[in-house]
Amino acid sequence: MDSQLTGSKVALHRLLIGVMAALLIIFTITIGLYFHQISDPYIREVLSLSGDLKRGSEIFQINCAVCHGIKADGSVGPSLHHVSKRKSRVSLINQVISGKTPPMPKFQPTSQDMSDLLSYLERL
């Protein structure tokens, strides 16, 4: 009986080590991807600028309101209220410029326009 108990403890110990190793790998990949993204010159430039809320609202109305609604409360696209609590600044930039979530088109605003748009989105 004691050998079975010891075997169970060894198995549990190995499982915990495996889980910890997997979590460490996931953490390392996530950090690596984040630093890779912020090494992108466009993203670095956007993050270094101060955005203008009024201009960001104008950019939103011209480019985004058709799908996300005039008040950003959703239409074809989802509501963007509190989007900055769900997505990081880098994720928001990638969402806007990637075009990887149809029907949202690929959109490449200037660095300043993107910074202005971020300021607007962060205040929703």
Side-chain angles (χ1 to χ4, degrees), residues 1-78:
M1 188 75 147
D2 287 334
S3 64
Q4 288 179 337
L5 186 57
T6 303
S8 296
K9 285 183 180 180
V10 169
L12 180 59
H13 182 70
R14 286 182 180 163
L15 177 64
L16 288 175
I17 288 174
V19 168
M20 289 173 50
L23 289 174
L24 181 60
I25 290 168
I26 291 168
F27 177 76
T28 303
I29 290 170
T30 302
I31 294 297
L33 287 173
Y34 175 77
F35 282 115
H36 173 72
Q37 288 175 340
I38 64 171
S39 69
D40 178 275
Y42 175 78
I43 292 175
R44 270 199 334 259
E45 185 174 352
V46 170
L47 295 175
S48 73
L49 298 170
S50 294
D52 179 271
L53 178 62
K54 184 175 185 285
R55 179 73 181 121
S57 175
E58 292 168 358
I59 293 166
F60 180 86
Q61 295 305 318
I62 293 166
N63 297 287
C64 313
V66 170
C67 292
H68 291 284
I70 293 172
K71 296 181 181 179
D73 51 1
S75 182
V76 173

Coordinates of all heavy atoms in Angstrom, one line a residue, residues 1-78:
M1 N 0.8 -1.2 0.0 CA 0.0 0.0 0.0 C 0.9 1.3 0.0 O 0.6 2.2 -0.7 CB -0.9 0.0 1.2 CG -2.0 1.1 1.2 SD -3.2 0.7 0.0 CE -4.6 1.3 0.8
D2 N 1.9 1.2 0.8 CA 2.8 2.4 0.9 C 3.5 2.7 -0.5 O 3.7 3.8 -0.8 CB 3.9 2.2 2.0 CG 3.3 2.3 3.4 OD1 2.3 3.0 3.5 OD2 3.9 1.7 4.3
S3 N 3.8 1.6 -1.2 CA 4.5 1.8 -2.5 C 3.5 2.4 -3.5 O 3.9 3.2 -4.3 CB 5.0 0.5 -3.0 OG 4.0 -0.4 -3.3
Q4 N 2.2 2.1 -3.4 CA 1.2 2.7 -4.3 C 1.0 4.2 -4.0 O 0.9 5.0 -4.8 CB -0.1 2.0 -4.2 CG -0.2 0.6 -4.8 CD -1.5 0.0 -4.6 OE1 -2.3 0.3 -3.7 NE2 -1.8 -1.0 -5.5
L5 N 1.0 4.5 -2.7 CA 0.9 5.9 -2.2 C 2.1 6.7 -2.7 O 2.0 7.8 -3.2 CB 0.8 6.0 -0.7 CG 0.5 7.3 -0.1 CD1 -0.8 7.9 -0.7 CD2 0.4 7.2 1.4
T6 N 3.3 6.1 -2.6 CA 4.5 6.7 -3.0 C 4.5 6.9 -4.5 O 4.9 8.0 -5.0 CB 5.8 5.9 -2.6 OG1 5.7 5.8 -1.2 CG2 7.0 6.6 -3.0
G7 N 4.0 5.9 -5.2 CA 3.9 6.0 -6.7 C 2.9 7.1 -7.1 O 3.2 7.9 -8.1
S8 N 1.9 7.3 -6.4 CA 0.9 8.3 -6.6 C 1.5 9.7 -6.4 O 1.3 10.6 -7.2 CB -0.3 8.2 -5.8 OG -1.0 7.0 -6.1
K9 N 2.3 9.8 -5.4 CA 3.0 11.1 -5.1 C 4.0 11.4 -6.2 O 4.1 12.6 -6.6 CB 3.7 11.0 -3.7 CG 2.7 11.1 -2.5 CD 3.5 11.1 -1.2 CE 2.6 11.2 0.0 NZ 3.3 11.2 1.2
V10 N 4.7 10.4 -6.6 CA 5.7 10.7 -7.7 C 5.0 11.1 -9.0 O 5.4 12.0 -9.7 CB 6.5 9.4 -8.0 CG1 7.3 9.5 -9.2 CG2 7.4 9.1 -6.8
A11 N 3.8 10.4 -9.3 CA 3.1 10.8 -10.5 C 2.5 12.2 -10.4 O 2.6 13.0 -11.3 CB 1.9 9.8 -10.7
L12 N 2.0 12.6 -9.2 CA 1.5 13.9 -9.0 C 2.6 14.9 -9.1 O 2.5 16.0 -9.7 CB 0.8 14.0 -7.6 CG 0.2 15.4 -7.3 CD1 -0.8 15.8 -8.3 CD2 -0.3 15.3 -5.9
H13 N 3.8 14.6 -8.5 CA 4.9 15.5 -8.6 C 5.4 15.7 -10.1 O 5.6 16.8 -10.5 CB 6.1 14.9 -7.8 CG 7.3 15.8 -7.8 ND1 7.4 16.9 -7.1 CD2 8.5 15.6 -8.3 CE1 8.6 17.5 -7.2 NE2 9.3 16.7 -8.0
R14 N 5.4 14.6 -10.8 CA 5.8 14.7 -12.3 C 4.7 15.6 -13.0 O 5.1 16.4 -13.9 CB 5.9 13.4 -12.9 CG 7.1 12.6 -12.4 CD 7.3 11.3 -13.1 NE 8.5 10.6 -12.7 CZ 8.7 9.4 -12.8 NH1 7.8 8.6 -13.4 NH2 9.8 8.8 -12.3
L15 N 3.5 15.4 -12.7 CA 2.4 16.1 -13.4 C 2.5 17.6 -13.0 O 2.5 18.5 -13.9 CB 1.0 15.6 -12.9 CG -0.2 16.4 -13.4 CD1 -0.3 16.3 -15.0 CD2 -1.5 15.9 -12.8
L16 N 2.8 18.0 -11.8 CA 3.0 19.4 -11.4 C 4.2 20.0 -12.1 O 4.1 21.1 -12.6 CB 3.1 19.5 -9.9 CG 1.8 19.3 -9.1 CD1 2.1 19.3 -7.6 CD2 0.8 20.3 -9.5
I17 N 5.3 19.2 -12.2 CA 6.4 19.7 -12.9 C 6.1 20.0 -14.4 O 6.5 21.0 -15.0 CB 7.6 18.8 -12.8 CG1 8.2 18.9 -11.3 CG2 8.8 19.1 -13.7 CD1 9.2 17.8 -11.0
G18 N 5.4 19.1 -15.0 CA 5.0 19.2 -16.4 C 4.1 20.4 -16.6 O 4.3 21.2 -17.6
V19 N 3.1 20.6 -15.7 CA 2.2 21.8 -15.8 C 3.0 23.1 -15.6 O 2.8 24.0 -16.4 CB 1.1 21.7 -14.8 CG1 0.3 23.0 -14.7 CG2 0.1 20.5 -15.1
M20 N 3.9 23.1 -14.7 CA 4.8 24.3 -14.5 C 5.6 24.6 -15.7 O 5.8 25.7 -16.1 CB 5.6 24.1 -13.2 CG 4.8 24.2 -11.9 SD 5.6 23.8 -10.4 CE 7.1 24.8 -10.5
A21 N 6.2 23.5 -16.3 CA 7.0 23.7 -17.5 C 6.2 24.3 -18.6 O 6.6 25.2 -19.3 CB 7.7 22.4 -17.9
A22 N 5.0 23.8 -18.8 CA 4.1 24.2 -19.8 C 3.7 25.7 -19.6 O 3.7 26.5 -20.6 CB 2.8 23.4 -19.9
L23 N 3.4 26.1 -18.4 CA 3.1 27.5 -18.1 C 4.3 28.4 -18.3 O 4.1 29.5 -18.8 CB 2.6 27.6 -16.6 CG 1.2 27.0 -16.4 CD1 0.9 27.0 -14.9 CD2 0.1 27.7 -17.1
L24 N 5.4 27.9 -18.0 CA 6.7 28.7 -18.2 C 6.9 28.9 -19.7 O 7.2 30.0 -20.2 CB 7.9 28.0 -17.6 CG 9.2 28.8 -17.8 CD1 9.1 30.2 -17.1 CD2 10.3 28.0 -17.2
I25 N 6.6 27.9 -20.5 CA 6.8 28.0 -22.0 C 5.8 29.0 -22.5 O 6.1 29.9 -23.3 CB 6.7 26.6 -22.7 CG1 7.9 25.8 -22.3 CG2 6.5 26.7 -24.2 CD1 7.8 24.3 -22.7
I26 N 4.5 28.9 -22.1 CA 3.5 29.8 -22.6 C 3.8 31.2 -22.2 O 3.7 32.1 -23.0 CB 2.1 29.4 -22.0 CG1 1.7 28.0 -22.7 CG2 1.0 30.4 -22.2 CD1 0.5 27.4 -22.0
F27 N 4.2 31.4 -21.0 CA 4.6 32.8 -20.5 C 5.8 33.3 -21.3 O 5.7 34.5 -21.8 CB 5.0 32.7 -19.0 CG 5.5 34.0 -18.4 CD1 4.6 35.0 -18.1 CD2 6.8 34.2 -18.2 CE1 5.0 36.2 -17.6 CE2 7.3 35.4 -17.7 CZ 6.4 36.4 -17.4
T28 N 6.8 32.5 -21.6 CA 7.9 32.9 -22.4 C 7.5 33.3 -23.8 O 7.9 34.4 -24.3 CB 9.0 31.8 -22.4 OG1 9.4 31.5 -21.1 CG2 10.2 32.3 -23.2
I29 N 6.6 32.5 -24.4 CA 6.2 32.8 -25.8 C 5.4 34.1 -25.8 O 5.5 34.9 -26.7 CB 5.4 31.6 -26.3 CG1 6.3 30.5 -26.6 CG2 4.6 32.0 -27.6 CD1 5.6 29.2 -26.9
T30 N 4.5 34.3 -24.8 CA 3.7 35.5 -24.7 C 4.5 36.7 -24.6 O 4.3 37.7 -25.3 CB 2.7 35.4 -23.5 OG1 1.9 34.2 -23.7 CG2 1.8 36.6 -23.4
I31 N 5.5 36.7 -23.7 CA 6.4 37.8 -23.5 C 7.2 38.1 -24.8 O 7.3 39.2 -25.2 CB 7.3 37.6 -22.3 CG1 6.5 37.5 -21.0 CG2 8.4 38.6 -22.2 CD1 5.8 38.8 -20.6
G32 N 7.7 37.0 -25.4 CA 8.4 37.2 -26.6 C 7.6 37.8 -27.7 O 8.1 38.7 -28.4
L33 N 6.3 37.4 -27.9 CA 5.4 38.0 -28.9 C 5.2 39.4 -28.6 O 5.2 40.3 -29.5 CB 4.1 37.2 -28.9 CG 4.2 35.8 -29.6 CD1 2.8 35.1 -29.4 CD2 4.5 36.0 -31.1
Y34 N 5.0 39.8 -27.3 CA 4.7 41.2 -26.9 C 5.9 42.0 -27.3 O 5.8 43.1 -27.9 CB 4.4 41.3 -25.4 CG 4.3 42.7 -25.0 CD1 3.1 43.4 -25.2 CD2 5.3 43.4 -24.3 CE1 3.0 44.7 -24.8 CE2 5.2 44.7 -23.9 CZ 4.0 45.4 -24.2 OH 3.9 46.7 -23.8
F35 N 7.1 41.6 -26.9 CA 8.3 42.4 -27.2 C 8.6 42.4 -28.7 O 9.0 43.4 -29.2 CB 9.5 41.9 -26.5 CG 9.5 42.3 -25.0 CD1 9.4 41.4 -24.0 CD2 9.6 43.7 -24.7 CE1 9.4 41.8 -22.7 CE2 9.6 44.1 -23.4 CZ 9.5 43.1 -22.4
H36 N 8.2 41.4 -29.5 CA 8.3 41.4 -30.9 C 7.4 42.5 -31.5 O 7.8 43.2 -32.4 CB 8.0 40.0 -31.5 CG 8.0 40.0 -33.0 ND1 9.1 40.2 -33.8 CD2 6.9 39.9 -33.9 CE1 8.8 40.2 -35.0 NE2 7.5 40.0 -35.1
Q37 N 6.2 42.5 -31.0 CA 5.2 43.5 -31.5 C 5.6 44.9 -31.2 O 5.5 45.8 -32.0 CB 3.8 43.2 -30.9 CG 3.2 42.0 -31.4 CD 1.8 41.7 -30.7 OE1 1.6 42.2 -29.6 NE2 1.0 40.9 -31.3
I38 N 6.1 45.2 -30.0 CA 6.5 46.5 -29.7 C 7.8 46.9 -30.3 O 8.2 48.1 -30.2 CB 6.5 46.9 -28.2 CG1 7.5 46.0 -27.4 CG2 5.1 46.7 -27.6 CD1 7.7 46.5 -26.0
S39 N 8.5 46.0 -30.9 CA 9.7 46.3 -31.6 C 9.4 46.8 -33.1 O 10.2 47.3 -33.7 CB 10.7 45.1 -31.7 OG 10.2 44.1 -32.6
D40 N 8.1 46.6 -33.5 CA 7.7 47.1 -34.8 C 7.8 48.6 -34.8 O 7.3 49.3 -33.9 CB 6.2 46.7 -35.0 CG 5.7 47.2 -36.3 OD1 5.2 48.3 -36.3 OD2 5.8 46.4 -37.3
P41 N 8.5 49.2 -35.8 CA 8.7 50.7 -35.7 C 7.4 51.5 -35.7 O 7.3 52.5 -35.1 CB 9.5 50.9 -37.0 CG 10.1 49.6 -37.4 CD 9.2 48.6 -36.9
Y42 N 6.4 51.0 -36.5 CA 5.1 51.8 -36.5 C 4.5 51.8 -35.1 O 4.1 52.8 -34.6 CB 4.2 51.1 -37.5 CG 2.8 51.7 -37.5 CD1 2.5 52.9 -38.2 CD2 1.7 51.0 -36.9 CE1 1.2 53.4 -38.2 CE2 0.5 51.6 -36.9 CZ 0.2 52.8 -37.6 OH -1.0 53.3 -37.6
I43 N 4.4 50.6 -34.5 CA 3.8 50.5 -33.1 C 4.6 51.3 -32.1 O 4.0 52.0 -31.3 CB 3.7 49.0 -32.7 CG1 2.7 48.3 -33.6 CG2 3.3 48.9 -31.2 CD1 2.5 46.8 -33.4
R44 N 5.9 51.2 -32.2 CA 6.7 52.0 -31.3 C 6.5 53.5 -31.5 O 6.3 54.3 -30.5 CB 8.2 51.8 -31.5 CG 8.8 50.6 -30.7 CD 10.3 50.6 -30.6 NE 11.0 51.3 -31.6 CZ 11.6 50.6 -32.6 NH1 11.6 49.3 -32.7 NH2 12.3 51.3 -33.5
E45 N 6.4 54.0 -32.7 CA 6.1 55.4 -33.0 C 4.7 55.8 -32.4 O 4.6 56.8 -31.8 CB 6.2 55.7 -34.4 CG 6.1 57.2 -34.7 CD 6.3 57.6 -36.1 OE1 6.7 56.8 -36.9 OE2 6.0 58.8 -36.4
V46 N 3.7 55.0 -32.7 CA 2.3 55.3 -32.2 C 2.3 55.4 -30.7 O 1.8 56.3 -30.1 CB 1.3 54.2 -32.7 CG1 0.0 54.4 -32.0 CG2 1.1 54.2 -34.2
L47 N 3.0 54.5 -30.0 CA 3.0 54.5 -28.6 C 3.8 55.6 -28.0 O 3.6 56.0 -26.8 CB 3.6 53.1 -28.0 CG 2.7 51.9 -28.3 CD1 3.4 50.6 -27.9 CD2 1.3 52.0 -27.7
S48 N 4.7 56.2 -28.8 CA 5.5 57.3 -28.3 C 4.8 58.7 -28.4 O 5.2 59.6 -27.8 CB 6.8 57.4 -29.0 OG 6.7 57.8 -30.4
L49 N 3.7 58.7 -29.2 CA 3.0 60.0 -29.4 C 1.9 60.2 -28.4 O 1.3 59.3 -27.9 CB 2.4 59.9 -30.8 CG 3.5 59.8 -32.0 CD1 2.8 59.6 -33.3 CD2 4.3 61.1 -32.1
S50 N 1.5 61.5 -28.3 CA 0.4 61.8 -27.5 C -0.8 62.0 -28.4 O -0.7 62.7 -29.4 CB 0.6 63.2 -26.7 OG 1.6 63.0 -25.8
G51 N -1.9 61.3 -28.1 CA -3.1 61.4 -29.0 C -4.0 62.5 -28.6 O -4.0 63.0 -27.5
D52 N -4.7 63.0 -29.6 CA -5.7 64.1 -29.4 C -7.1 63.5 -29.5 O -7.5 62.9 -30.5 CB -5.5 65.1 -30.6 CG -6.5 66.2 -30.5 OD1 -7.6 66.1 -31.1 OD2 -6.2 67.2 -29.8
L53 N -7.8 63.6 -28.4 CA -9.1 63.0 -28.2 C -10.1 63.5 -29.3 O -10.8 62.7 -29.9 CB -9.6 63.3 -26.8 CG -11.0 62.7 -26.5 CD1 -11.1 61.2 -26.6 CD2 -11.4 63.2 -25.1
K54 N -10.1 64.8 -29.5 CA -11.1 65.3 -30.5 C -10.8 64.8 -31.9 O -11.7 64.4 -32.6 CB -11.0 66.8 -30.5 CG -12.0 67.5 -31.4 CD -12.0 69.0 -31.2 CE -13.0 69.7 -32.0 NZ -12.8 69.8 -33.4
R55 N -9.5 64.8 -32.2 CA -9.1 64.3 -33.6 C -9.4 62.8 -33.6 O -9.8 62.3 -34.7 CB -7.6 64.6 -33.8 CG -7.1 64.1 -35.1 CD -7.7 64.9 -36.3 NE -7.1 64.3 -37.5 CZ -7.9 63.9 -38.5 NH1 -9.2 64.0 -38.5 NH2 -7.3 63.3 -39.6
G56 N -9.2 62.0 -32.6 CA -9.5 60.6 -32.5 C -11.0 60.3 -32.8 O -11.3 59.4 -33.5
S57 N -11.8 61.2 -32.2 CA -13.2 61.0 -32.4 C -13.6 61.3 -33.9 O -14.4 60.5 -34.4 CB -14.0 62.0 -31.5 OG -15.4 62.0 -31.8
E58 N -13.0 62.3 -34.5 CA -13.2 62.5 -35.9 C -12.8 61.4 -36.8 O -13.5 61.0 -37.7 CB -12.5 63.8 -36.3 CG -13.0 65.1 -35.7 CD -12.1 66.3 -35.9 OE1 -11.0 66.2 -36.4 OE2 -12.5 67.4 -35.4
I59 N -11.6 60.8 -36.5 CA -11.1 59.7 -37.2 C -12.0 58.5 -37.1 O -12.3 57.8 -38.0 CB -9.7 59.3 -36.8 CG1 -8.7 60.4 -37.2 CG2 -9.2 58.0 -37.3 CD1 -7.3 60.3 -36.5
F60 N -12.5 58.3 -35.9 CA -13.5 57.2 -35.6 C -14.7 57.4 -36.4 O -15.2 56.5 -37.1 CB -13.8 57.1 -34.1 CG -14.8 56.0 -33.8 CD1 -14.4 54.7 -33.6 CD2 -16.2 56.3 -33.8 CE1 -15.3 53.7 -33.3 CE2 -17.1 55.3 -33.5 CZ -16.6 54.0 -33.3
Q61 N -15.3 58.6 -36.4 CA -16.5 58.9 -37.1 C -16.4 58.6 -38.6 O -17.3 58.1 -39.3 CB -17.0 60.3 -36.9 CG -17.5 60.5 -35.4 CD -18.5 59.6 -34.9 OE1 -19.5 59.2 -35.6 NE2 -18.3 59.1 -33.7
I62 N -15.2 59.0 -39.2 CA -15.0 58.9 -40.6 C -14.7 57.4 -41.0 O -15.2 56.9 -42.0 CB -13.8 59.7 -41.0 CG1 -14.1 61.2 -40.9 CG2 -13.3 59.4 -42.5 CD1 -12.9 62.1 -41.0
N63 N -14.0 56.7 -40.2 CA -13.5 55.4 -40.6 C -14.2 54.2 -39.9 O -14.1 53.1 -40.4 CB -12.0 55.3 -40.4 CG -11.2 56.2 -41.2 OD1 -11.1 56.0 -42.4 ND2 -10.7 57.3 -40.6
C64 N -14.7 54.4 -38.7 CA -15.2 53.2 -37.9 C -16.7 53.2 -37.6 O -17.2 52.1 -37.4 CB -14.4 53.2 -36.6 SG -12.6 53.4 -36.8
A65 N -17.3 54.4 -37.6 CA -18.7 54.5 -37.1 C -19.7 53.7 -37.9 O -20.7 53.3 -37.4 CB -19.1 55.9 -37.0
V66 N -19.4 53.5 -39.2 CA -20.3 52.8 -40.1 C -20.6 51.4 -39.5 O -21.7 51.0 -39.5 CB -19.8 52.7 -41.5 CG1 -20.6 51.8 -42.4 CG2 -19.7 54.1 -42.2
C67 N -19.6 50.8 -39.0 CA -19.7 49.4 -38.5 C -19.9 49.3 -37.0 O -20.6 48.5 -36.5 CB -18.5 48.5 -38.9 SG -18.5 48.2 -40.7
H68 N -19.2 50.2 -36.3 CA -19.2 50.2 -34.8 C -20.3 51.1 -34.2 O -20.4 51.1 -33.0 CB -17.8 50.5 -34.3 CG -16.8 49.4 -34.6 ND1 -16.8 48.2 -33.9 CD2 -15.8 49.4 -35.5 CE1 -15.8 47.5 -34.4 NE2 -15.2 48.1 -35.4
G69 N -21.0 51.9 -35.0 CA -22.0 52.8 -34.6 C -21.4 54.1 -34.2 O -20.3 54.3 -33.8
I70 N -22.2 55.1 -34.4 CA -21.8 56.5 -34.2 C -21.3 56.7 -32.7 O -20.4 57.4 -32.5 CB -23.0 57.5 -34.5 CG1 -23.2 57.5 -36.0 CG2 -22.6 58.9 -34.0 CD1 -24.5 58.3 -36.4
K71 N -21.9 56.0 -31.8 CA -21.5 56.1 -30.4 C -20.7 54.9 -30.0 O -20.5 54.7 -28.8 CB -22.8 56.2 -29.5 CG -23.6 57.5 -29.8 CD -24.7 57.6 -28.8 CE -25.5 58.9 -29.1 NZ -26.7 59.0 -28.3
A72 N -20.2 54.2 -31.0 CA -19.3 53.0 -30.7 C -20.0 51.9 -29.9 O -19.3 51.1 -29.3 CB -18.0 53.4 -30.1
D73 N -21.3 51.9 -30.0 CA -22.1 50.9 -29.2 C -22.4 49.6 -30.0 O -23.2 48.8 -29.6 CB -23.3 51.5 -28.6 CG -24.2 52.2 -29.7 OD1 -23.8 52.2 -30.9 OD2 -25.2 52.8 -29.3
G74 N -21.8 49.5 -31.2 CA -22.0 48.3 -32.0 C -23.0 48.4 -33.0 O -24.1 49.0 -32.8
S75 N -22.8 47.7 -34.1 CA -23.7 47.6 -35.2 C -23.3 46.4 -36.0 O -23.6 45.3 -35.5 CB -23.6 48.9 -36.1 OG -24.6 48.8 -37.2
V76 N -22.6 46.5 -37.1 CA -22.1 45.3 -37.8 C -20.9 44.8 -36.9 O -20.7 43.6 -36.7 CB -21.6 45.7 -39.2 CG1 -20.8 44.5 -39.8 CG2 -22.7 46.1 -40.1
G77 N -20.1 45.8 -36.5 CA -18.9 45.4 -35.6 C -19.4 45.5 -34.1 O -20.5 46.0 -33.8
P78 N -18.6 45.0 -33.2 CA -19.0 45.0 -31.8 C -18.9 46.4 -31.2 O -18.3 47.3 -31.7 CB -17.9 44.1 -31.2 CG -16.7 44.2 -32.1 CD -17.3 44.4 -33.5

